Amino acid sequence: MTTYTLGIEGGPLDGGAATVDADDDGRPPYWQCWNGAVYVREPFGLAPHDPHWHYCHRGSST
């Protein structure tokens, strides 16, 4: 299985990183919810993590 480590921008996990398994389409999942915060996959990476994608905060799950 393919895994990706993506940088995180914004929200409570700002500046962190997440390692996720690829979806059926071979890319990182489009959205994730961690600690009640919603993050979506965006094009372009955040060094030193994956160069193609990163997760960007989009609000809370409540």
Side-chain angles (χ1 to χ4, degrees):
M1 176 169 285
T2 301
T3 60
Y4 294 92
T5 300
L6 278 65
I8 298 174
E9 175 184 28
L13 301 177
D14 186 45
T19 300
V20 296
D21 292 331
D23 266 350
D24 293 337
D25 64 4
R27 297 182 295 180
Y30 176 70
W31 72 275
Q32 295 286 329
C33 182
W34 294 300
N35 299 332
V38 175
Y39 294 86
V40 296
R41 184 188 68 225
E42 295 286 347
F44 75 83
L46 296 173
H49 309 295
D50 187 88
H52 304 290
W53 297 293
H54 73 286
Y55 280 116
C56 187
H57 184 245
R58 289 292 186 247
S60 68
S61 62
T62 57

